[in-house]
Amino acid sequence: MSLVAARLDNKREVELKDLLAQRKAADKMKEVKESGAITAASSSDVAVTQQCGNQYVEHFEKKDALGVLGFEIASLRDIDPVAGTFGCSMLLSFFKVVPDLHDHPTGSVKGFKERWDTLIQINENALANGAGIDSFDYWRNHLVHCVGQTEIRGLMRVLYWAKGRFSEDLELHDFPYDAQSLSVQVRSMIGGINYELIPIKEWTLFKFELEHPEYHIYKPPMCVRISEGGHKTKHRVIVSAFVQRKPWFFVLNVMMLLGGLTTMSFLTFGIDADDLGAKASISLTLILTVVAFRFVVADTMPKLVYSTMLDKYINTNYVFLAIVVCENALAKVESSFRTALDCSIALLWIIFNACFFVRASAFQREMAQRLESLTGDVYAAETEATQALHAPEDEAHPVRGVPVSGTGTGLRRMPAIPLQRRVSWRVM
């Protein structure tokens, strides 16, 4: 995964350079404004900045504008695809304009918590997919007067720490090569009032450098807004972290060991045809060994009602062992035919393993590339979904389900967000 890490670092470096360039341009425009001399060259920069900030200015002019949402994920833990839950700790940022603080200096405002509680009642019920919230606590406030480079006087940022378990539609058809999307959803209906929420890219990030023993975590997390159940005003802001399982534990400790046992059964082809007892003894012993091995590793595998990629590989091993037993029973068949049969079985076994692992490796690389490229698609989808929510009634886009994430790109469906094309082929 060194190549993946390098690409992600390069992408982050480019984003940081762009952000620094935008800030320098904003400072320059501010100086030009103060001097009262806006040249033709600088006027184009002003237009760009105004276009980026207009959505926030217009947003906070509305009566029930709770504001831009920021998500800082601190930890991901206890990912349980079978139960469809995962643990997460995160810092949530809520923004709201407080008119009488227009002239207050930037920074923390003492005693604001009691006032905030009277303005809006935010609790764990705002988290739409919470499956057991351990804590949802007010942390601190910060008067910022701006969103990014857009000045909005009186804009207050209030931060909450949230910790608990969240539900998610997770699939394991491609286990152990599966990828998952772990999302936290914040609903717009808070305290009986339907607020309008807008996510912001710059404040959607991992608060710390996260590592997981079983999954590779892709950066940065994605934040989008969707309509809720086709409703024109109710909506949700969803932040998603994409993870891909590290399959080598199962490849080394299950697939290779099991494949080695099946390969050993081909040793019976070299035993004299008249010694049927020795052939049958070896074959049946290996079958019992494979069955016992399956029970031993059962605790490390998900218990599902459908077959995963690993189940298909194990079942194929059973099939080849059964073929070897049948071959042993053909001891009295002409030697030339039996030799051709033995070679065919061995060749078929080699071809199966070669195809399986080559396609599995290609599938894993394809998935990694798609997860890396999701950033641009997600924010493009955010723009489309936001435009659909604000479109006039006769021009509103129909809510439709499209693939988003899950196993092997996943089948969990969200409305009106064409994030990424699904990898259409399977390993088997």
Side-chain angles (χ1 to χ4, degrees):
M1 300 298 292
S2 59
L3 179 59
V4 174
R7 289 180 179 177
L8 290 175
D9 291 339
N10 291 336
K11 185 182 293 184
R12 177 62 72 186
E13 184 179 353
V14 171
E15 290 181 353
L16 290 175
K17 288 182 180 178
D18 292 342
L19 183 59
L20 289 174
Q22 291 174 5
R23 288 180 178 176
K24 289 181 180 178
D27 293 338
K28 182 179 178 181
M29 286 184 286
K30 186 176 181 180
E31 293 176 359
V32 173
K33 280 185 178 181
E34 291 176 352
S35 64
I38 301 180
T39 64
S42 64
S43 62
S44 61
D45 294 336
V46 172
V48 172
T49 302
Q50 290 176 344
Q51 183 178 4
C52 296
N54 280 342
Q55 61 170 324
Y56 300 125
V57 175
E58 295 174 358
H59 172 71
F60 283 108
E61 288 176 350
K62 299 178 182 179
K63 178 181 179 181
D64 294 327
L66 177 57
V68 178
L69 278 177
F71 297 84
E72 300 177 54
I73 299 176
S75 69
L76 291 172
R77 62 187 185 280
D78 302 332
I79 302 174
D80 188 350
V82 178
T85 60
F86 68 96
C88 179
S89 298
M90 65 190 311
L91 191 61
L92 294 176
S93 298
F94 295 91
F95 296 80
K96 190 172 180 63
V97 171
V98 183
D100 59 350
L101 295 179
H102 282 200
D103 300 324
H104 195 282
T106 301
S108 179
V109 178
K110 294 183 178 180
F112 184 76
K113 181 180 184 303
E114 292 75 16
R115 183 178 177 185
W116 176 260
D117 291 337
T118 61
L119 289 174
I120 180 173
Q121 298 294 326
I122 299 180
N123 52 41
E124 62 272 14
N125 293 328
L127 302 174
N129 64 327
I133 305 301
D134 300 326
S135 61
F136 190 88
D137 302 321
Y138 178 100
W139 185 37
R140 64 183 178 89
N141 66 77
H142 190 81
L143 189 62
V144 293
H145 291 307
C146 66
V147 175
Q149 302 172 18
T150 305
E151 183 180 22
I152 303 177
R153 301 300 299 178
L155 184 62
M156 175 65 75
R157 180 188 183 192
V158 179
L159 297 98
Y160 286 81
W161 271 110
K163 178 182 179 182
R165 297 192 63 77
F166 298 87
S167 60
E168 184 62 278
D169 295 329
L170 306 177
E171 297 176 355
L172 291 170
H173 289 287
D174 297 318
F175 176 84
Y177 301 99
D178 56 300
Q180 308 290 349
S181 170
L182 310 178
S183 65
V184 176
Q185 305 178 19
V186 178
R187 54 167 59 98
S188 62
M189 182 63 69
I190 301 175
I193 300 177
N194 186 39
Y195 294 92
E196 185 170 357
L197 308 177
I198 296 180
I200 187 168
K201 175 183 177 181
E202 288 76 10
W203 289 328
T204 301
L205 48 87
F206 290 114
K207 189 170 180 62
F208 308 109
E209 190 70 23
L210 300 186
E211 295 289 341
H212 196 281
E214 296 183 32
Y215 292 88
H216 175 76
I217 301 175
Y218 286 85
K219 299 180 292 185
M222 313 302 175
C223 192
V224 296
R225 190 175 82 163
I226 67 170
S227 60
E228 185 171 357
H231 202 279
K232 294 180 181 178
T233 57
K234 292 182 181 180
H235 52 277
R236 294 185 181 185
V237 173
I238 301 176
V239 59
S240 301
F242 293 92
V243 298
Q244 186 176 26
R245 189 184 299 274
K246 301 173 183 177
W248 287 109
F249 172 83
F250 298 96
V251 172
L252 295 175
N253 296 284
V254 179
M255 291 183 174
M256 287 190 175
L257 288 178
L258 195 58
L261 291 174
T262 303
T263 303
M264 290 173 61
S265 68
F266 297 156
L267 295 175
T268 59
F269 296 165
I271 300 177
D272 188 83
D274 295 331
D275 197 356
L276 180 59
K279 284 176 169 284
S281 176
I282 294 175
S283 300
L284 295 176
T285 300
L286 288 173
I287 290 177
L288 293 176
T289 302
V290 170
V291 172
F293 180 77
R294 177 65 182 271
F295 280 107
V296 170
V297 300
D299 292 337
T300 64
M301 297 170 58
K303 298 175 177 58
L304 304 168
V305 296
Y306 53 84
S307 295
T308 65
M309 214 47 57
L310 182 58
D311 292 327
K312 294 177 181 179
Y313 183 83
I314 293 175
N315 293 336
T316 304
N317 278 263
Y318 291 152
V319 171
F320 272 95
L321 286 172
I323 292 175
V324 171
V325 172
C326 293
E327 187 277 342
N328 293 339
L330 300 176
K332 301 301 182 182
V333 176
E334 184 179 351
S335 60
S336 59
F337 174 79
R338 195 173 70 251
T339 300
L341 179 62
D342 295 347
C343 292
S344 299
I345 295 173
L347 181 61
L348 186 61
W349 171 248
I350 293 173
I351 293 174
F352 163 74
N353 281 276
C355 291
F356 183 93
F357 287 107
V358 168
R359 296 197 68 187
S361 178
F363 175 81
Q364 195 175 7
R365 288 195 303 270
E366 173 77 5
M367 180 52 51
Q369 293 172 359
R370 288 183 180 274
L371 291 175
E372 286 180 54
S373 65
L374 269 175
T375 303
D377 293 333
V378 168
Y379 293 119
E382 175 188 351
T383 302
E384 179 177 332
T386 303
Q387 291 173 350
L389 287 171
H390 293 285
E393 183 175 355
D394 58 342
E395 298 178 2
H397 300 279
V399 176
R400 61 188 185 278
V402 293
V404 175
S405 65
T407 63
T409 68
L411 293 174
R412 185 171 63 82
R413 305 177 77 81
M414 291 182 184
I417 305 182
L419 298 182
Q420 187 72 9
R421 291 179 301 170
R422 180 168 180 251
V423 179
S424 58
W425 59 273
R426 301 282 185 181
V427 178
M428 290 181 64

